[in-house]
């Protein structure tokens, strides 16, 4: 399942997020990464104000999936991070739908490479979206990760 008619995709810059949207985003990130995955880390890392935020809500407005897209800089390419599907929304194909939307959003930022830090067990998933490993597996907050890169967004679907 991609989404039903009651689902709504949203994308906004930091300045355009309402307080309720920001709260839902930060709550979902904390629930998945800090509580569920037991990673004690500083989620509020100072990068959110420069990011594009992409999320999906259900008919009641509950956040189901989220990704943060960081525009390219002179030091780094476009980066996708904080990718999540909430526990109750998993198994419905929302992760693939989210990443497809994220790749489409990246088109507006340029046609250069896109990087992400993938949890190692999701390497095949990201590989199916055109990402290739560019680092050995490393530990990040107690979870094996691998940096991955997609050559560009031209032709993303």
């Amino acid at each position: 399942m991609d989404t039903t008619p009651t689902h709504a995709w949203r994308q906004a810059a930091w300045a355009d997020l309402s307080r309720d949207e920001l709260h839902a985003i930060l709550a979902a990130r904390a629930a998945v990464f800090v509580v569920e995955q037991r990673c004690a880390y500083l989620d509020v890392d100072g990068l959110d104000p420069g990011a594009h935020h992409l999320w999906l809500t259900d008919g009641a407005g509950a956040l189901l999936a989220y990704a943060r897209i960081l525009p390219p800089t002179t030091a780094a390419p476009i980066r996708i991070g904080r990718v999540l599907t909430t526990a109750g929304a998993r198994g419905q194909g929302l992760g693939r739908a989210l990443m497809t939307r994220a790749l489409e959003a990246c088109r507006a930022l340029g046609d250069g490479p896109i990087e992400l830090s993938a949890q190692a067990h999701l390497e095949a998933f990201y590989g199916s979206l055109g990402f290739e490993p560019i680092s050995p597996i490393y530990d990040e907050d107690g979870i094996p990760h691998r940096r991955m890169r997609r050559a560009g967004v031209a032709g993303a679907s």
Side-chain angles (χ1 to χ4, degrees), residues 10-26 53 55 57 61 63:
R10 295 284 323 272
Q11 182 178 340
W14 176 261
D16 298 325
L17 292 171
S18 72
R19 286 182 295 197
D20 289 342
E21 290 166 337
L22 176 60
H23 179 267
I25 288 167
L26 294 176
H53 303 271
W55 70 100
T57 59
L63 191 142

Side-chain angles (χ1 to χ4, degrees), residues 25-147:
I25 288 167
L26 294 176
R29 288 177 10 185
V32 171
F33 301 124
V34 177
V35 176
E36 183 180 329
Q37 296 181 356
R38 297 183 182 142
C39 294
Y41 77 107
L42 185 60
D43 179 49
V44 181
D45 58 5
L47 298 177
D48 287 312
H52 298 267
H53 303 271
L54 173 66
W55 70 100
L56 176 68
T57 59
D58 67 13
L63 191 142
L64 303 175
Y66 169 84
R68 177 173 81 175
I69 302 166
L70 300 171
T73 66
T74 55
I78 299 167
R79 291 170 288 156
I80 300 173
R82 302 294 199 264
V83 178
L84 68 86
T85 302
T86 58
R90 293 189 191 128
Q92 302 175 48
L94 298 180
R96 184 165 300 280
L98 172 66
M99 284 303 298
T100 299
R101 293 268 180 156
L103 290 171
E104 290 170 2
C106 289
R107 281 191 181 123
L109 301 176
D111 61 1
I114 304 165
E115 291 188 3
L116 52 78
S117 179
Q119 292 185 5
H121 74 278
L122 294 171
E123 184 177 339
F125 168 73
Y126 289 113
S128 74
L129 294 163
F131 287 87
E132 297 181 355
I134 59 169
S135 78
I137 292 176
Y138 59 93
D139 181 275
E140 185 173 316
D141 302 313
I143 298 174
H145 280 71
R146 183 182 302 258
R147 284 186 54 226

